[in-house]
Amino acid sequence: MKHGKNYIESSKLVERGKLYDVQESLELAVKTSKAKFDETVEIHVRLGVDSRHADQQVRGAVVLPNGTGKDVKVLVICKGDNVDKALEAGADFAGSDEYVQKIQGEGWMDFDVVIATPDMMGVVGRLGKVLGPRGLMPSPKAGTVTPDVSKAVSEAKAGKIEYRLDKTNIIHCPIGKASFGAEKLSENFEALMGAIVKAKPAAAKGQYIKSCVVSSTMGPGIKVNTGKYGV
């Protein structure tokens, strides 16, 4: 794979094979972010579980203390009084059948988070093939299927992110922008890692956190020492 000049220069700052402390790794992620846009800093955590087994799934959501740095567009599928409650809480779109039809018929996808009330899941279920592959399907575990739409919208706008295992047993999540600086990114990192550790399945055997890497969008991967989590 060919890399650009900035990537090659940034890679020289990272010592291969070294496990960096959280703070140091995030300082490096900020330092190696050299694109002309405000790069997202991401965390990639490999877990010692098998995602093929239902009792070893790791999924949930956490509100990052410093948000994600992204303006999140929220769609709430609900009806009655909940429409007004959702809009008052800051939802960008709120309604029922009209939005389901818009997604199904027009391929409309101008949103980042979908929240639904339990009574609407029969309708929302029809969107599984569209929302599922994009990771947008509402779920009780992620707090996006709830009767309390006001709280769910407020949390989504405040920087709530969902984490879930992919097929290779890795969790990929954004923890903010390079412009946040290492201190704020570190706080977000700790919040996410704390949630992942807490979500350890009872069926998981052996070492839970196998490895962790942080990187900016265009920067090199930086290995993090996760020994302090003791799992």
Side-chain angles (χ1 to χ4, degrees), residues 180-203:
F180 281 20
E183 201 64 45
K184 286 186 176 179
L185 288 170
S186 181
E187 290 172 2
N188 282 357
F189 179 100
E190 296 292 356
L192 176 59
M193 285 298 286
I196 292 172
V197 169
K198 201 174 177 182
K200 180 182 178 181

Side-chain angles (χ1 to χ4, degrees), residues 104-183:
Q104 280 186 315
E106 302 170 27
W108 177 71
M109 295 295 291
D110 189 24
F111 47 83
D112 305 297
V113 175
V114 183
I115 293 163
T117 49
D119 61 322
M120 294 302 295
M121 284 310 291
V123 177
V124 176
R126 303 204 300 262
L127 301 173
K129 286 184 180 178
V130 181
L131 300 179
R134 293 174 170 84
L136 293 170
M137 192 66 181
S139 117
K141 266 195 172 180
T144 45
V145 175
T146 173
D148 192 346
V149 293
S150 299
K151 183 185 176 187
V153 171
S154 298
E155 288 183 342
K157 287 288 186 178
K160 186 177 187 177
I161 59 165
E162 186 178 351
Y163 58 87
R164 61 191 299 179
L165 277 182
D166 68 6
K167 288 178 181 177
T168 60
N169 305 316
I170 299 174
I171 288 174
H172 309 271
C173 273
I175 55 167
K177 298 288 186 180
S179 61
F180 281 20
E183 201 64 45

Side-chain angles (χ1 to χ4, degrees), residues 22-24 26-28 30 178 180-187:
V22 174
Q23 184 76 15
E24 195 179 2
L26 292 167
E27 284 170 0
L28 261 178
V30 171
F180 281 20
E183 201 64 45
K184 286 186 176 179
L185 288 170
S186 181
E187 290 172 2

Side-chain angles (χ1 to χ4, degrees), residues 17-225:
K18 179 178 177 179
L19 292 177
Y20 290 87
D21 288 339
V22 174
Q23 184 76 15
E24 195 179 2
S25 70
L26 292 167
E27 284 170 0
L28 261 178
V30 171
K31 202 172 181 181
T32 55
S33 168
K34 295 185 176 180
K36 290 179 181 176
F37 60 92
D38 192 5
E39 295 182 48
T40 297
V41 175
E42 298 170 348
I43 176 174
H44 311 275
V45 188
R46 182 184 294 278
L47 299 180
V49 295
D50 189 341
S51 61
R52 291 173 299 179
H53 299 292
D55 63 353
Q56 293 187 46
Q57 287 296 322
V58 180
R59 181 179 184 181
V62 61
V63 178
L64 299 179
N66 299 300
T68 61
K70 181 182 178 183
D71 183 21
V72 181
K73 284 189 179 179
V74 179
L75 163 64
V76 182
I77 299 178
C78 58
K79 58 188 177 184
D81 293 344
N82 281 322
V83 174
D84 291 333
K85 287 178 183 176
L87 293 172
E88 283 169 16
D92 298 271
F93 315 100
S96 53
D97 293 334
E98 67 271 30
Y99 286 108
V100 173
Q101 287 164 11
K102 199 172 180 183
I103 293 167
Q104 280 186 315
E106 302 170 27
W108 177 71
M109 295 295 291
D110 189 24
F111 47 83
D112 305 297
V113 175
V114 183
I115 293 163
T117 49
D119 61 322
M120 294 302 295
M121 284 310 291
V123 177
V124 176
R126 303 204 300 262
L127 301 173
K129 286 184 180 178
V130 181
L131 300 179
R134 293 174 170 84
L136 293 170
M137 192 66 181
S139 117
K141 266 195 172 180
T144 45
V145 175
T146 173
D148 192 346
V149 293
S150 299
K151 183 185 176 187
V153 171
S154 298
E155 288 183 342
K157 287 288 186 178
K160 186 177 187 177
I161 59 165
E162 186 178 351
Y163 58 87
R164 61 191 299 179
L165 277 182
D166 68 6
K167 288 178 181 177
T168 60
N169 305 316
I170 299 174
I171 288 174
H172 309 271
C173 273
I175 55 167
K177 298 288 186 180
S179 61
F180 281 20
E183 201 64 45
K184 286 186 176 179
L185 288 170
S186 181
E187 290 172 2
N188 282 357
F189 179 100
E190 296 292 356
L192 176 59
M193 285 298 286
I196 292 172
V197 169
K198 201 174 177 182
K200 180 182 178 181
K205 305 296 180 191
Q207 188 179 355
Y208 179 51
I209 297 177
K210 292 279 192 182
S211 64
C212 176
V213 172
V214 295
S215 67
S216 59
T217 307
M218 308 293 286
I222 301 153
K223 294 179 180 178
V224 183
N225 184 350

